[in-house]
Amino acid sequence: MRILVAGLIAFGVLIGLVSPAQAALPSWPNVKIGQTGDNVLTAQHLLRHRGYNIAADGDFGSGTQAAVKQFQTANGLSSDGEIGPNTWPKLIVSVQRGNNSEAVRAAQVQLNRYGYGLSVDGDFGGGTHNAAVAFQSSKGLEADGIVGPNTWQTLVGGTPSSGGGSYSLPLARSALPRSEYDDPHHDYPAIDLPVNTVPAYAAVTGTAYRINDSSCGYGLRIVKNGVDYIYCHFSGWSVANGAAVRAGDRVGTTGNTGNSTGPHLHFAIKISGTSYCPQNFLLAIYDGRTPPTPSSLPRTGCFY
Ligand SMILES: [Zn+2]
């Protein structure tokens, strides 16, 4: 009897070693024509990565469907034009630090669903690596920072628990060090970020309205939940007036238009015309934390 018990324990230990306890992966979603959103956008970036020249606009139209059918035929799948549990595993691409590709954009779109606030720039740098590791840790996955099959499935198939939406720095993370995001502004609450002509990204998901006046120059106002996120001094826009934008979407190129003495991005947060200090908001995004509610931001202490 003692031997049997010992044998059972040994067997249990063996089983434990062979298949360590791990939460089941979520199911792959079915993504198909007529749908919009981040999983559509993810699939489009992955299709672009694989050479299909379609728009990455988050809108699953006939062009995306045709590309999916071609991809399925080329990979021995039944070509129904829907991205489901058989197509996703063949479509995903493992990405990791040092990669720069459309597949990295797809991973950044997914990480932003969970609030990591990355610029969707296709550059898998330290910020994306840290986000991937944090996501993996939070889900009980091997936290190696490599977005491989299990991480992809957990990202794409999962439902973000916070529902808080996603955020992005207004510039690529590599554009400026963290220390630039706490600098005070002149005269009133805002921040001037010293960059030449570089891509600017939507900080939040919302509706973008162009600004064109002698003060702001070419600028943009992104409206989300009654809050205005304002960009000034662009050299050009990347989005139409009234466009729906997602956090991390490229919205323009910085520059020196309007009342500006040198190239920089002026960034401000306003609610009903009142300016709030954006520094803590941006620092939280930089650090991968959920930023404070704009109305809770201070209105003094960030200018001189
Ligand atoms: Zn300014």
Side-chain angles (χ1 to χ4, degrees):
M1 183 65 181
R2 193 173 295 163
I3 289 167
L4 178 62
V5 169
L8 282 172
I9 289 170
F11 183 69
V13 168
L14 184 65
I15 292 293
L17 287 172
V18 170
S19 52
Q22 188 185 340
L25 298 174
S27 305
W28 290 103
N30 253 320
V31 174
K32 57 190 179 186
I33 194 158
Q35 294 179 349
T36 59
D38 286 337
N39 281 344
V40 174
L41 185 59
T42 298
Q44 289 172 326
H45 281 305
L46 289 167
L47 286 162
R48 286 172 59 83
H49 183 93
R50 293 181 177 281
Y52 296 90
N53 187 21
I54 57 169
D57 58 3
D59 189 348
F60 199 128
S62 56
T64 299
Q65 188 186 46
V68 172
K69 287 182 176 177
Q70 283 181 44
F71 174 79
Q72 289 172 322
T73 301
N75 286 274
L77 299 159
S78 78
S79 62
D80 61 1
E82 295 185 13
I83 307 169
N86 295 323
T87 302
W88 277 112
K90 299 215 168 179
L91 184 59
I92 55 167
V93 177
S94 283
V95 289
Q96 59 185 291
R97 193 201 288 255
N99 292 160
N100 192 322
S101 67
E102 285 283 331
V104 174
R105 288 181 200 265
Q108 290 168 329
V109 167
Q110 284 297 321
L111 288 165
N112 283 352
R113 290 179 66 220
Y114 297 84
Y116 289 100
L118 304 167
S119 297
V120 181
D121 58 7
D123 185 359
F124 203 126
T128 303
H129 176 81
N130 291 344
V133 168
F135 176 78
Q136 290 169 325
S137 298
S138 75
K139 299 297 182 186
L141 298 163
E142 186 186 352
D144 57 5
I146 301 170
V147 182
N150 287 353
T151 301
W152 272 115
Q153 188 168 348
T154 307
L155 283 165
V156 175
T159 306
S161 56
S162 71
S166 62
Y167 301 89
S168 170
L169 288 172
L171 299 168
R173 195 184 169 83
S174 56
L176 287 176
R178 185 183 189 279
S179 57
E180 292 292 344
Y181 287 98
D182 63 4
D183 285 357
H185 192 245
H186 55 90
D187 298 346
Y188 64 97
I191 192 165
D192 288 335
L193 299 165
V195 286
N196 288 310
T197 51
V198 299
Y201 300 96
V204 296
T205 296
T207 308
Y209 299 96
R210 289 185 177 186
I211 300 170
N212 186 358
D213 63 37
S214 60
S215 169
C216 189
Y218 297 151
L220 207 63
R221 185 166 64 92
I222 300 176
V223 182
K224 179 192 179 187
N225 296 338
V227 180
D228 289 349
Y229 301 82
I230 295 168
Y231 298 67
C232 288
H233 318 309
F234 279 180
S235 56
W237 295 286
S238 303
V239 291
N241 190 42
V245 296
R246 290 183 183 76
D249 281 355
R250 182 162 180 182
V251 292
T253 304
T254 60
N256 192 27
T257 58
N259 183 12
S260 173
T261 56
H264 72 284
L265 174 65
H266 170 99
F267 181 83
I269 297 177
K270 289 189 181 184
I271 304 171
S272 302
T274 299
S275 297
Y276 291 75
C277 295
Q279 284 79 0
N280 289 346
F281 186 87
L282 295 171
L283 287 166
I285 297 173
Y286 192 96
D287 293 340
R289 294 179 278 115
T290 300
T293 308
S295 60
S296 74
L297 292 167
R299 287 153 57 188
T300 58
C302 63
F303 55 97
Y304 48 84

mmCIF file of all heavy atoms in Angstrom, residues 167 225 227 229 269 271 276-277 280-281 284 290-298:
data_model
loop_
_atom_site.group_PDB
_atom_site.id
_atom_site.type_symbol
_atom_site.label_atom_id
_atom_site.label_comp_id
_atom_site.label_asym_id
_atom_site.label_seq_id
_atom_site.Cartn_x
_atom_site.Cartn_y
_atom_site.Cartn_z
ATOM 1 N N TYR A 167 -4.412 53.922 -24.851
ATOM 2 C CA TYR A 167 -3.735 55.209 -24.938
ATOM 3 C C TYR A 167 -2.422 55.043 -25.668
ATOM 4 O O TYR A 167 -1.863 53.964 -25.740
ATOM 5 C CB TYR A 167 -3.460 55.746 -23.526
ATOM 6 C CG TYR A 167 -4.713 55.918 -22.711
ATOM 7 C CD1 TYR A 167 -5.206 54.876 -21.937
ATOM 8 C CD2 TYR A 167 -5.424 57.103 -22.763
ATOM 9 C CE1 TYR A 167 -6.375 55.016 -21.214
ATOM 10 C CE2 TYR A 167 -6.596 57.248 -22.044
ATOM 11 C CZ TYR A 167 -7.067 56.213 -21.271
ATOM 12 O OH TYR A 167 -8.224 56.362 -20.565
ATOM 13 N N ASN A 225 -14.977 61.532 -25.200
ATOM 14 C CA ASN A 225 -15.772 61.735 -23.981
ATOM 15 C C ASN A 225 -15.784 63.187 -23.525
ATOM 16 O O ASN A 225 -15.658 63.477 -22.331
ATOM 17 C CB ASN A 225 -15.245 60.853 -22.843
ATOM 18 C CG ASN A 225 -15.385 59.368 -23.150
ATOM 19 O OD1 ASN A 225 -16.217 58.986 -23.983
ATOM 20 N ND2 ASN A 225 -14.587 58.548 -22.521
ATOM 21 N N VAL A 227 -13.559 65.422 -23.905
ATOM 22 C CA VAL A 227 -12.225 65.973 -23.627
ATOM 23 C C VAL A 227 -11.523 66.222 -24.960
ATOM 24 O O VAL A 227 -11.574 65.381 -25.860
ATOM 25 C CB VAL A 227 -11.392 64.991 -22.764
ATOM 26 C CG1 VAL A 227 -10.013 65.568 -22.476
ATOM 27 C CG2 VAL A 227 -12.142 64.668 -21.474
ATOM 28 N N TYR A 229 -8.026 66.690 -26.898
ATOM 29 C CA TYR A 229 -6.580 66.455 -26.886
ATOM 30 C C TYR A 229 -6.040 67.223 -28.093
ATOM 31 O O TYR A 229 -6.375 66.900 -29.239
ATOM 32 C CB TYR A 229 -6.271 64.965 -26.978
ATOM 33 C CG TYR A 229 -6.879 64.180 -25.822
ATOM 34 C CD1 TYR A 229 -8.222 63.794 -25.849
ATOM 35 C CD2 TYR A 229 -6.135 63.859 -24.698
ATOM 36 C CE1 TYR A 229 -8.794 63.098 -24.787
ATOM 37 C CE2 TYR A 229 -6.695 63.161 -23.635
ATOM 38 C CZ TYR A 229 -8.029 62.785 -23.686
ATOM 39 O OH TYR A 229 -8.600 62.109 -22.634
ATOM 40 N N ILE A 269 -4.471 69.390 -23.091
ATOM 41 C CA ILE A 269 -5.735 68.713 -22.771
ATOM 42 C C ILE A 269 -6.704 69.764 -22.249
ATOM 43 O O ILE A 269 -6.384 70.496 -21.304
ATOM 44 C CB ILE A 269 -5.531 67.602 -21.716
ATOM 45 C CG1 ILE A 269 -4.602 66.510 -22.269
ATOM 46 C CG2 ILE A 269 -6.868 67.004 -21.293
ATOM 47 C CD1 ILE A 269 -4.277 65.399 -21.273
ATOM 48 N N ILE A 271 -10.930 70.703 -21.300
ATOM 49 C CA ILE A 271 -12.324 70.301 -21.107
ATOM 50 C C ILE A 271 -13.150 71.577 -21.052
ATOM 51 O O ILE A 271 -12.894 72.440 -20.197
ATOM 52 C CB ILE A 271 -12.517 69.487 -19.808
ATOM 53 C CG1 ILE A 271 -11.592 68.265 -19.799
ATOM 54 C CG2 ILE A 271 -13.974 69.054 -19.660
ATOM 55 C CD1 ILE A 271 -11.556 67.519 -18.475
ATOM 56 N N TYR A 276 -5.898 71.693 -18.760
ATOM 57 C CA TYR A 276 -5.395 70.854 -17.669
ATOM 58 C C TYR A 276 -3.947 70.478 -17.974
ATOM 59 O O TYR A 276 -3.546 70.387 -19.136
ATOM 60 C CB TYR A 276 -6.251 69.584 -17.541
ATOM 61 C CG TYR A 276 -7.642 69.862 -17.034
ATOM 62 C CD1 TYR A 276 -8.607 70.428 -17.874
ATOM 63 C CD2 TYR A 276 -8.000 69.592 -15.718
ATOM 64 C CE1 TYR A 276 -9.881 70.711 -17.404
ATOM 65 C CE2 TYR A 276 -9.274 69.864 -15.246
ATOM 66 C CZ TYR A 276 -10.202 70.423 -16.092
ATOM 67 O OH TYR A 276 -11.469 70.705 -15.630
ATOM 68 N N CYS A 277 -3.163 70.239 -16.924
ATOM 69 C CA CYS A 277 -1.751 69.881 -17.104
ATOM 70 C C CYS A 277 -1.633 68.470 -17.686
ATOM 71 O O CYS A 277 -2.053 67.498 -17.035
ATOM 72 C CB CYS A 277 -1.013 69.944 -15.768
ATOM 73 S SG CYS A 277 -0.928 71.608 -15.079
ATOM 74 N N ASN A 280 1.213 64.583 -16.187
ATOM 75 C CA ASN A 280 0.983 63.301 -15.496
ATOM 76 C C ASN A 280 0.274 62.293 -16.392
ATOM 77 O O ASN A 280 0.459 61.075 -16.261
ATOM 78 C CB ASN A 280 0.159 63.513 -14.216
ATOM 79 C CG ASN A 280 0.960 64.218 -13.137
ATOM 80 O OD1 ASN A 280 2.184 64.319 -13.246
ATOM 81 N ND2 ASN A 280 0.281 64.723 -12.126
ATOM 82 N N PHE A 281 -0.541 62.798 -17.290
ATOM 83 C CA PHE A 281 -1.235 61.944 -18.269
ATOM 84 C C PHE A 281 -0.196 61.264 -19.165
ATOM 85 O O PHE A 281 -0.209 60.038 -19.355
ATOM 86 C CB PHE A 281 -2.193 62.817 -19.085
ATOM 87 C CG PHE A 281 -3.067 62.073 -20.031
ATOM 88 C CD1 PHE A 281 -4.285 61.559 -19.619
ATOM 89 C CD2 PHE A 281 -2.686 61.889 -21.351
ATOM 90 C CE1 PHE A 281 -5.110 60.872 -20.497
ATOM 91 C CE2 PHE A 281 -3.494 61.206 -22.242
ATOM 92 C CZ PHE A 281 -4.714 60.701 -21.804
ATOM 93 N N ALA A 284 2.214 58.776 -17.311
ATOM 94 C CA ALA A 284 1.568 57.488 -17.032
ATOM 95 C C ALA A 284 1.606 56.604 -18.270
ATOM 96 O O ALA A 284 1.912 55.407 -18.190
ATOM 97 C CB ALA A 284 0.123 57.704 -16.575
ATOM 98 N N THR A 290 -2.247 53.147 -16.549
ATOM 99 C CA THR A 290 -3.452 53.803 -17.039
ATOM 100 C C THR A 290 -3.415 55.262 -16.597
ATOM 101 O O THR A 290 -3.234 55.541 -15.414
ATOM 102 C CB THR A 290 -4.710 53.122 -16.474
ATOM 103 O OG1 THR A 290 -4.711 51.764 -16.899
ATOM 104 C CG2 THR A 290 -5.973 53.813 -16.986
ATOM 105 N N PRO A 291 -3.538 56.196 -17.525
ATOM 106 C CA PRO A 291 -3.414 57.604 -17.139
ATOM 107 C C PRO A 291 -4.585 58.077 -16.283
ATOM 108 O O PRO A 291 -5.674 57.496 -16.316
ATOM 109 C CB PRO A 291 -3.373 58.345 -18.481
ATOM 110 C CG PRO A 291 -3.909 57.409 -19.477
ATOM 111 C CD PRO A 291 -3.711 56.016 -18.964
ATOM 112 N N PRO A 292 -4.367 59.141 -15.486
ATOM 113 C CA PRO A 292 -5.450 59.697 -14.683
ATOM 114 C C PRO A 292 -6.574 60.212 -15.571
ATOM 115 O O PRO A 292 -6.352 60.591 -16.722
ATOM 116 C CB PRO A 292 -4.800 60.868 -13.936
ATOM 117 C CG PRO A 292 -3.343 60.827 -14.236
ATOM 118 C CD PRO A 292 -3.117 59.897 -15.378
ATOM 119 N N THR A 293 -7.784 60.230 -15.032
ATOM 120 C CA THR A 293 -8.900 60.860 -15.733
ATOM 121 C C THR A 293 -8.553 62.331 -15.984
ATOM 122 O O THR A 293 -8.095 63.012 -15.065
ATOM 123 C CB THR A 293 -10.163 60.797 -14.846
ATOM 124 O OG1 THR A 293 -10.339 59.441 -14.444
ATOM 125 C CG2 THR A 293 -11.387 61.273 -15.589
ATOM 126 N N PRO A 294 -8.744 62.803 -17.226
ATOM 127 C CA PRO A 294 -8.339 64.199 -17.511
ATOM 128 C C PRO A 294 -8.892 65.221 -16.516
ATOM 129 O O PRO A 294 -8.187 66.145 -16.109
ATOM 130 C CB PRO A 294 -8.876 64.422 -18.927
ATOM 131 C CG PRO A 294 -8.805 63.071 -19.546
ATOM 132 C CD PRO A 294 -9.172 62.109 -18.441
ATOM 133 N N SER A 295 -10.145 65.053 -16.095
ATOM 134 C CA SER A 295 -10.730 66.056 -15.188
ATOM 135 C C SER A 295 -10.064 66.035 -13.809
ATOM 136 O O SER A 295 -10.239 66.977 -13.025
ATOM 137 C CB SER A 295 -12.233 65.808 -15.045
ATOM 138 O OG SER A 295 -12.463 64.510 -14.511
ATOM 139 N N SER A 296 -9.292 64.976 -13.515
ATOM 140 C CA SER A 296 -8.592 64.926 -12.227
ATOM 141 C C SER A 296 -7.189 65.520 -12.316
ATOM 142 O O SER A 296 -6.486 65.608 -11.313
ATOM 143 C CB SER A 296 -8.501 63.477 -11.734
ATOM 144 O OG SER A 296 -7.535 62.749 -12.477
ATOM 145 N N LEU A 297 -6.766 65.904 -13.524
ATOM 146 C CA LEU A 297 -5.426 66.474 -13.684
ATOM 147 C C LEU A 297 -5.380 67.870 -13.068
ATOM 148 O O LEU A 297 -6.392 68.586 -13.030
ATOM 149 C CB LEU A 297 -5.068 66.570 -15.181
ATOM 150 C CG LEU A 297 -4.872 65.236 -15.904
ATOM 151 C CD1 LEU A 297 -4.841 65.455 -17.414
ATOM 152 C CD2 LEU A 297 -3.594 64.542 -15.436
ATOM 153 N N PRO A 298 -4.182 68.289 -12.595
ATOM 154 C CA PRO A 298 -4.076 69.639 -12.025
ATOM 155 C C PRO A 298 -4.208 70.714 -13.106
ATOM 156 O O PRO A 298 -4.050 70.437 -14.300
ATOM 157 C CB PRO A 298 -2.667 69.643 -11.427
ATOM 158 C CG PRO A 298 -1.925 68.572 -12.144
ATOM 159 C CD PRO A 298 -2.938 67.537 -12.547
#
